[in-house]
């Protein structure tokens, strides 16, 4: 029997957490039920990728009870206790629930939103339960465990007050994340238009307007010429990637050298959707390593690629908020040789080459990259004036993205401090409002 301590004076419910909701466990799918199109099968891998992956589909009609709706509350109950046992809101418009995930439908004395924060608060307890039964690196939380976990849920009024504090913080975090996605999409669209599709050149060649200012439009030629890569804008050149971008390796730092505080060690597990993010189990090295391992010091906005193993192809740009940092093994760092090549230009070049290399047909799944494949890859390079124009437009976008990341880190830390104290009742609402005012949220 597990009991979670609570300090709330008014309690709406006390008893097993199992009785607070309906817990629908997902189902398994036979190979014959999997297809290339249909309803996305939502597995733990998709949950961890913010439910954006659609790796497999179900094309039948016999599992209607497992169909998901947008904003359903889900909980991954099996896996490595350190990286699983998390709650999610379903973000797609359609999906079907795979095994090892609960769909949770709270009863009328609580809401999905409050239950989401409750599960976050209970994660240390649920992790301990899973770890007690852990085998071969895996653990799980079963229905029997949920029936043995005794909790308290405060009054409806208190729940609403708690949500009035936590929800605005979560919404601000989500807003920043969406804004950053938009900022990158703007820069990516411009990169593709100028350097892949050559839209301004084609427009001028056809006597059409480029849609750009006269100052920028005049930088582009009005015709094409032949090259070893095919037709390219006149006056542009073909060069190898290594002529404009350095490809730097990482170092196998030893765990015996790790310290509690010091220089952050960038590992491949920090990469998430193209960004290097802090984790609860980050490791650090003494500051003296900045002198002894200078070849592996990260610079602001360095772009990294996992070049071996199961995470092959994952990328991560490191932002100023995570500096100073040292680069670990199993990754390459791509750094422009000259300032005229912006960090975003470098990122999009690397993404383009990576996509091509991952797309090459082979007899088996690819599990490593060769550095030479990147260094020798040939690119179409525009004149310096166009590169500097692209940098002048996109650098402010990158700066704004960096500020959003710093703000998100601050308010995420605030939420992590407030959440357990609010859910447990240790912190009263007026006190938490003071904390938010001090943080400027």
């Amino acid at each position: 029997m597990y009991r979670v301590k609570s300090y709330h004076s008014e309690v709406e419910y006390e008893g097993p957490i199992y009785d607070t909701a309906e817990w629908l466990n997902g189902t398994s799918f036979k190979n014959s039920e999997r297809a290339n199109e249909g309803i996305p099968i939502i597995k733990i891998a998709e949950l961890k990728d913010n439910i954006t992956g659609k790796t497999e589909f179900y094309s039948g009609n016999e599992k209607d009870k497992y169909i998901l709706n947008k904003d359903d509350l889900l909980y991954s109950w099996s896996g490595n206790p350190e990286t699983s046992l998390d709650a999610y809101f379903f973000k797609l418009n359609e999906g079907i629930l795979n095994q090892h995930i609960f769909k949770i439908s709270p009863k009328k004395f609580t809401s999905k939103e409050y239950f989401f924060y409750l599960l976050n608060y209970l994660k240390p307890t649920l992790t301990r339960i899973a770890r007690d039964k852990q085998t071969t690196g895996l653990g799980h939380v079963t229905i029997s465990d949920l029936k043995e976990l005794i909790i308290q849920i405060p009054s409806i009024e208190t729940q609403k007050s708690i949500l009035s504090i936590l929800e605005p913080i979560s919404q601000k975090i989500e807003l920043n994340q969406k804004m950053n996605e938009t900022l990158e999409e703007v820069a990516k669209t411009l990169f593709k238009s100028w350097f892949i599709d050559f839209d301004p050149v084609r427009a001028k060649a056809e006597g059409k307007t480029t849609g750009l200012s006269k100052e920028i439009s005049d930088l582009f030629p009005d015709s094409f010429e032949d090259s070893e890569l095919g037709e390219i804008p006149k006056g542009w050149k073909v060069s190898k990637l290594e002529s404009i971008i350095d490809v730097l390796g990482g170092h196998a730092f030893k765990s015996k050298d790790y310290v509690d505080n010091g220089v952050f060690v960038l590992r491949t597990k920090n990469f998430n959707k193209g960004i290097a993010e802090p984790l609860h189990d980050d490791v650090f090295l003494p500051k003296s390593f900045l002198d002894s391992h200078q070849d592996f010091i990260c610079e602001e906005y360095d772009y990294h690629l996992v070049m071996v193993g199961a995470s092959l192809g994952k990328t991560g740009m490191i932002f100023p908020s995570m500096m100073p940092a040292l680069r670990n093994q199993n990754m390459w760092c791509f750094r422009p040789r000259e300032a005229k090549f912006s960090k975003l230009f470098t990122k999009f070049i690397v993404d383009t080459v990576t996509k091509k290399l991952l797309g090459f047909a082979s007899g088996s799944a690819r599990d490593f990259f060769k550095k030479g494949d990147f260094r020798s890859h040939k690119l179409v390079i525009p004149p310096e004036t166009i590169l500097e124009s692209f940098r002048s437009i996109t650098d402010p976008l990158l700066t704004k993205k960096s500020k959003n990341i710093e703000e998100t880190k601050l308010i995420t830390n605030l939420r992590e401090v407030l959440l357990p104290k609010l859910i447990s009742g240790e912190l009263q609402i007026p006190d938490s409002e003071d904390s938010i005012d001090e943080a400027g949220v």
Side-chain angles (χ1 to χ4, degrees):
M1 183 75 70
Y2 295 85
R3 181 178 293 274
V4 180
K5 189 174 182 180
S6 175
Y7 301 91
H8 291 291
S9 57
E10 296 182 14
V11 176
E12 185 77 20
Y13 169 86
E14 181 172 5
I17 189 173
Y18 177 77
D19 293 333
T20 64
E22 299 294 332
W23 304 75
L24 175 65
N25 190 18
T27 185
S28 59
F29 296 86
K30 299 176 182 178
N31 288 336
S32 60
E33 296 175 319
R34 301 173 188 268
N36 294 324
E37 58 182 22
I39 302 175
I41 298 174
I42 304 303
K43 298 168 288 184
I44 292 178
E46 279 74 29
L47 293 178
K48 292 185 178 302
D49 194 29
N50 292 325
I51 318 182
T52 58
K54 294 185 180 180
T55 55
E56 293 182 306
F57 298 83
Y58 172 69
S59 59
N61 55 10
E62 298 179 356
K63 298 178 183 287
D64 287 352
K65 68 184 272 188
Y66 302 104
I67 296 293
L68 296 172
N69 296 310
K70 191 172 183 179
D71 295 326
D72 277 343
L73 180 59
L74 307 178
Y75 179 74
S76 60
W77 59 267
S78 180
N80 184 335
E82 297 297 333
T83 58
S84 189
L85 309 180
D86 288 315
Y88 306 84
F89 283 111
F90 184 60
K91 296 301 183 183
L92 295 180
N93 290 322
E94 63 175 0
I96 189 164
L97 192 62
N98 196 51
Q99 60 187 345
H100 301 153
I101 304 173
F102 286 127
K103 173 187 171 182
I104 302 172
S105 301
K107 295 183 178 177
K108 62 182 180 180
F109 51 78
T110 188
S111 64
K112 288 188 296 185
E113 291 75 19
Y114 182 82
F115 213 91
F116 170 80
Y117 293 113
L118 175 63
L119 288 170
N120 276 276
Y121 167 62
L122 293 173
K123 181 167 183 176
T125 300
L126 293 168
T127 299
R128 186 167 67 252
I129 292 172
R131 191 179 288 116
D132 288 344
K133 300 180 297 184
Q134 189 171 358
T135 58
T136 63
L138 300 178
H140 50 270
V141 175
T142 65
I143 293 295
S144 297
D145 297 323
L146 297 173
K147 291 180 178 180
E148 294 290 318
L149 177 57
I150 306 302
I151 64 165
Q152 285 186 346
I153 294 180
S155 66
I156 297 295
E157 292 73 18
T158 300
Q159 292 179 48
K160 291 180 179 178
S161 296
I162 291 172
L163 289 176
S164 72
I165 299 298
L166 296 176
E167 283 287 87
I169 299 176
S170 296
Q171 290 167 5
K172 177 59 176 173
I173 292 171
E174 185 175 356
L175 178 63
N176 282 355
Q177 291 170 341
K178 289 182 177 179
M179 185 184 300
N180 280 351
E181 291 173 3
T182 300
L183 291 171
E184 179 157 325
E185 190 60 34
V186 168
K188 183 178 179 180
T189 299
L190 186 65
F191 171 86
K192 184 175 183 296
S193 175
W194 285 16
F195 307 123
I196 302 297
D197 298 334
F198 311 129
D199 288 337
V201 182
R202 296 191 188 282
K204 294 179 74 171
E206 295 171 4
K208 300 177 181 178
T209 177
T210 63
L212 303 171
S213 69
K214 184 178 185 306
E215 181 182 7
I216 295 177
S217 183
D218 288 346
L219 301 177
F220 290 87
D222 58 6
S223 61
F224 292 87
E225 61 186 11
D226 290 331
S227 76
E228 59 184 296
L229 295 182
E231 193 177 62
I232 66 173
K234 186 175 182 179
W236 294 26
K237 63 181 181 179
V238 174
S239 298
K240 292 181 178 180
L241 183 144
E242 65 182 355
S243 69
I244 64 170
I245 300 173
D246 285 324
V247 186
L248 310 172
H251 183 74
F253 293 106
K254 298 178 180 179
S255 58
K256 68 179 181 64
D257 294 322
Y258 293 160
V259 295
D260 292 336
N261 293 289
V263 180
F264 167 69
V265 179
L266 178 65
R267 297 177 292 173
T268 59
K269 64 190 299 184
N270 290 105
F271 299 165
N272 180 33
K273 300 180 73 173
I275 295 174
E277 297 182 339
L279 300 173
H280 70 280
D281 61 346
D282 283 336
V283 296
F284 303 87
L285 289 165
K287 291 183 179 179
S288 60
F289 274 61
L290 292 174
D291 294 323
S292 60
H293 293 75
Q294 294 185 21
D295 290 343
F296 309 102
I297 296 176
C298 297
E299 293 184 3
E300 294 180 356
Y301 307 113
D302 273 347
Y303 196 53
H304 305 84
L305 171 75
V306 180
M307 44 61 164
V308 66
S311 297
L312 180 76
K314 286 190 70 174
T315 56
M317 176 176 283
I318 189 166
F319 286 81
S321 60
M322 299 186 73
M323 307 296 287
L326 288 161
R327 191 169 56 254
N328 202 36
Q329 61 182 342
N330 297 335
M331 70 177 74
W332 291 327
C333 168
F334 293 84
R335 185 180 296 165
R337 288 176 175 265
E338 300 178 47
K340 63 185 178 183
F341 295 102
S342 74
K343 298 288 189 175
L344 282 177
F345 182 87
T346 299
K347 167 185 163 51
F348 296 138
I349 287 291
V350 173
D351 287 347
T352 301
V353 177
T354 300
K355 185 177 181 180
K356 288 181 179 179
L357 293 178
L358 284 173
F360 285 162
S362 61
S364 59
R366 187 164 193 159
D367 58 2
F368 69 93
F369 285 130
K370 295 180 181 179
K371 190 176 287 188
D373 289 341
F374 281 86
R375 285 177 167 168
S376 62
H377 193 88
K378 292 183 178 180
L379 313 166
V380 179
I381 306 299
E384 182 174 327
T385 52
I386 295 177
L387 287 169
E388 290 179 343
S389 181
F390 180 79
R391 180 166 59 85
S392 69
I393 295 172
T394 58
D395 274 4
L397 303 181
L398 192 58
T399 299
K400 176 58 178 174
K401 185 173 181 178
S402 177
K403 290 180 178 178
N404 286 342
I405 288 174
E406 290 181 19
E407 182 181 57
T408 298
K409 182 178 179 181
L410 172 65
I411 58 180
T412 298
N413 290 339
L414 174 63
R415 184 178 63 181
E416 290 177 355
V417 171
L418 289 176
L419 190 151
K421 295 181 180 295
L422 286 169
I423 298 296
S424 69
E426 182 181 352
L427 182 63
Q428 300 302 310
I429 301 302
D431 296 334
S432 59
E433 290 174 342
D434 291 342
S435 299
I436 290 179
D437 290 340
E438 290 173 5
V441 176

